[in-house]
Amino acid sequence: MTQDDTKTLDTQPDLGRRKFLNTTALVGLSGAGLAVGLSACKQEGAGAPGAASAPAAAGASTHLKPGELDTYYGLWSGGHTGDFRVLGLPSGRELHRVPCFVPDALTGWGITNESKKIMGTRPDGSLKYTVGDTHHTHASYKDGNYDGRYAWINDKINSRIARIRLDYFICDKITELPNVQGFHGIFPDKRDPVDPAINYTTRVFCGSEFHVPLPNDGRDLDAPEKYRSMFSCVDAETMDVRWQVLIDGNCDLAATSYDGKLAATNQYNTENGARYENMMSAERDACLFFNVARIEAAVKAGKTRTYGNSKVPVVDGTRAANADPKTALVAYVSVPKNPHGVNASPDGKYFICAGKLSPTATVIELSKMLDWFDGKLDSPDKAIVAEVEIGLGPLHTAFDGRGNAYTTLFLDSQVVKWNVEAAIKFHAGDNKAQYVVDRLDVQYQPGHINASQSETMFADGKWLAVGCKFSKDRYLPVGPLHAENEQLVDISGDKMVMVADHPVRPEPHDFIIFKRDLIRTKQIYSMDEFPLAVKDAKDVGVFRDGKKVTVKIISQAPAFDPREFRVKLGDEVTLILTNHDKVEDLTHGFAIPNYNVNFIVNPQETASVTFKADKPGVFWCYCTHFCHALHLEMRSRMIVEA
Ligand code: RUQ
Ligand code: CUA
Ligand code: CA
């Protein structure tokens, strides 16, 4: 490529592009009749806008030499690819995608009987759903840190929650939530609110974003004022839905307190609007706090009802039923216009709601929230200890463990670093309290943000990742669909330093970043985990029961055993394959041409598929996963007799 070619890619200088994006976003919003506070922020700290155009400080290196391992894991949602991704940080290398809600050709997810059982099927055996939209992923806790057992991820489209086992990095359970639509925010609890011995995650909370008729069976179609939304609790072990809370307004993101007592969700549609103009007609919306122990006591006492076919007990969390703090299950705290995101600070003291349509962040103090539930405050709004301007379009907040918060500003295409205690002082009337510490331009329109260990009590303030929704001129163009841009920032110093861009396939939402030693993965399965395992070479072969045929096969590089098998046209064939290789990284694949079968078996794993032998002929079942010098020769011959 000549230098001139390079120039043609460089369509616009940075600032022009930034201005263009910003104007577009603002025009979009003002077209909606929106009065965003366009005034500059009240405060500018050391790092005024444009800090990024100053000569860049070096920042820590994200480069790893060949053979060096990353020091952090990143768990990323995949967005409407429906997957769950694993990145190594700081390199930003994508290591794995764990299929859960949607089929995956590499692993045979959605093809094997085992994965179909987890995904859910229709009576004819086909998959119930083949699409998914993953937004948020969080992992299980113990003593305020990740314990490496599980992660959970949501599917917004079909209101499903998937659990990922972090030993094998596989999805082992999926639950569809009843009575809700648009399941968006998700957060595990961090300990039990009643039993101090339970210092680990036993519940996962799920917010539902859309209002629907209850039950949604054709009633009240044209009466949106009757639509309702719910906050759900799923058992971390059984993955059953324990209970739901009927609420006024909707849910968006979710968060939990470190003491296990409260779960929170922010609401942008307290108006119960069916169109966006209505959803932003009120000046303030809310952040809800759920008193977990009280809700579980109410469920135990049977103060519940059910809807439609669902057996899940539902308690009444509406405003009218929760006016008395002494008995309230839910507190409604007023926060400015269409807030987005609620995050718990690593010191366990605060929840922060970003303003989205308001240029503010709201800080809510946990102990004051508990005071309200104890009847010591006359209004839940008194738990607000700061509401300060930080910039335009605040969305999500991360923490460094040194008292600073980092919030994405979607409209400003910036990250703002601000000090929480200083913001509280400023809010209390100390005009000299400088709470904005630094600003950093990012490319462009950032949504989610997270820092290393940010969602734990052990936030270490090293790395900050910013999920930029628009990448435009940051990468080689690949047609109209652009990669997204995950930017990595060194936050170990006073000033943020941009150190790397990582392209990602659209379109991840949320992510968490944590130290690699918090996870111990297993590289080899135990054969005993699979009831169908073909454990011995003498067990292989074709076993017929009328028209139903079971074919038992084992793989050991570079051969399948048996090397050929015969079935008859019209048979229903169940093929069970156990990989007898015990060597780490020795995976085999099994593909049957023209039969739409392709899946893998990892070391000591068993998988099965069922299909109708509806085409006579010879079919070379071959290994798809490179395993051996004789990988191409690794085949078994399926003969379907006419
Ligand atoms: S929220 S659009 Cu993660 Cu910012 Cu789903
Ligand atoms: Cu076995 Cu390739
Ligand atoms: Ca609203």
Side-chain angles (χ1 to χ4, degrees), residues 179 215 230 304-314:
N179 302 327
M230 290 201 191
T304 59
R305 59 160 297 180
T306 58
Y307 289 90
N309 299 327
S310 163
K311 297 209 167 41
V312 174
V314 179

Side-chain angles (χ1 to χ4, degrees), residues 267-271 278-285 337-339 357:
Q267 311 195 306
Y268 63 81
N269 192 10
T270 49
E271 300 91 336
N278 307 111
M279 297 181 202
M280 40 192 235
S281 59
E283 274 316 305
R284 292 182 79 89
D285 285 292
K337 211 177 182 90
N338 290 41
L357 301 192

Side-chain angles (χ1 to χ4, degrees), residues 565-583:
F565 56 93
R566 280 168 193 269
V567 298
K568 293 193 172 66
L569 189 67
D571 282 346
E572 185 196 286
V573 180
T574 296
L575 191 148
I576 304 167
L577 172 61
T578 298
N579 185 1
H580 276 231
D581 276 308
K582 270 191 194 144
V583 180

